[in-house]
Amino acid sequence: MTSDSTEPQDRVTAVFHSARDHRPANADPSPGDTRDLIECGGGPDTGGRAARLLLRLVRRQEFAFAVVGVVNTVMGIGLTVAWLAALGDSVPPSAGVAAAYATGIGIAFLLHRNLVFRVRGRVVRDFLGFAMVNCGGLVANALLLELAVTVLGFPRVPAALVVMGAVAAGTYFGHRYISFHRPVV
C-alpha cells in the first residue's frame, strides 16, 4: 500500500466496478475516480451510510455477502420468535416460520441489493430472481442434507454445517449471476 491517500478509495471503487460490470477486482480505476462510490452511496433511500460503512469494513463482495448473511440469519431467528409469540399456540409453528420468511425475504432482498451487489433498476425482476435463488437454496439444503445423513450416513450436525456452507456459496453465485446480474455493456 502506498502513501497515496486515494488508493483505498480507488481500491473500493475497483472492487465494486468488478461487482457491477464483472471487470477484475484489481482493475485500476483512473486516479480520483469516485463515480461508483457516489452512485453506490446514493441518497437516504439506498442505504448510503450503511453501504459506506460496510464498504469500509468489508471490501470484497464475497465477505459483504457473508456479513449480510449473518445479519439475515439473526433477523430470521428474531422474526420467527416474534411471529410465534404473536400468533400464539392456536396456530401451527410452521405458520410462524412461513410468516417470518415472508417478512424477512423483502428485508434480505434490500440488504443484498443495496449493500452487497449494489445494483439499480429492474426491481421486480431482481426480486423474482432473488426469491427463486433463495427457494432453490432451501430445496438444495433439504435434499443434500437428507442425502448426506440417510444415504451416506454422516452425522446430522457436521453434515448440516457442510451442506449449509456449500449451499450458501452456491446462492452467492446464484444471486450474482441470476438475481442481480447486469449485462456488460
Side-chain angles (χ1 to χ4, degrees):
M1 185 179 219
T2 67
S3 62
D4 182 7
S5 64
T6 62
E7 185 174 333
Q9 185 173 358
D10 289 341
R11 179 168 164 72
V12 171
T13 302
V15 168
F16 285 96
H17 269 144
S18 170
R20 192 185 73 214
D21 61 15
H22 306 292
R23 282 193 290 158
N26 60 359
D28 245 351
S30 60
D33 183 5
T34 58
R35 274 189 316 257
D36 279 359
L37 291 178
I38 292 167
E39 287 175 15
C40 292
D45 61 322
T46 61
R49 285 192 181 118
R52 285 190 297 274
L53 176 62
L54 184 62
L55 285 175
R56 284 189 198 111
L57 297 174
V58 184
R59 294 183 180 200
R60 293 192 49 91
Q61 188 181 58
E62 298 86 356
F63 294 127
F65 181 79
V67 169
V68 168
V70 167
V71 169
N72 284 334
T73 299
V74 171
M75 177 190 64
I77 292 168
L79 285 171
T80 301
V81 169
W83 276 108
L84 288 172
L87 295 173
D89 292 335
S90 62
V91 177
S94 59
V97 173
Y101 183 81
T103 308
I105 193 167
I107 298 166
F109 170 73
L110 292 174
L111 291 174
H112 281 90
R113 180 178 172 81
N114 293 318
L115 299 179
V116 178
F117 296 100
R118 326 259 321 136
V119 296
R120 294 177 182 239
R122 303 182 350 184
V123 176
V124 172
R125 183 197 175 283
D126 288 352
F127 180 76
L128 293 174
F130 185 82
M132 180 183 73
V133 169
N134 273 3
C135 288
L138 175 63
V139 169
N141 267 317
L143 293 177
L144 291 173
L145 185 57
E146 189 70 27
L147 173 73
V149 173
T150 60
V151 175
L152 300 175
F154 291 111
R156 288 174 180 250
V157 173
L161 293 174
V162 170
V163 166
M164 290 174 78
V167 170
T171 58
Y172 166 75
F173 290 106
H175 289 314
R176 182 170 181 174
Y177 294 109
I178 297 171
S179 307
F180 302 110
H181 178 71
R182 296 297 186 266
V184 178
V185 181

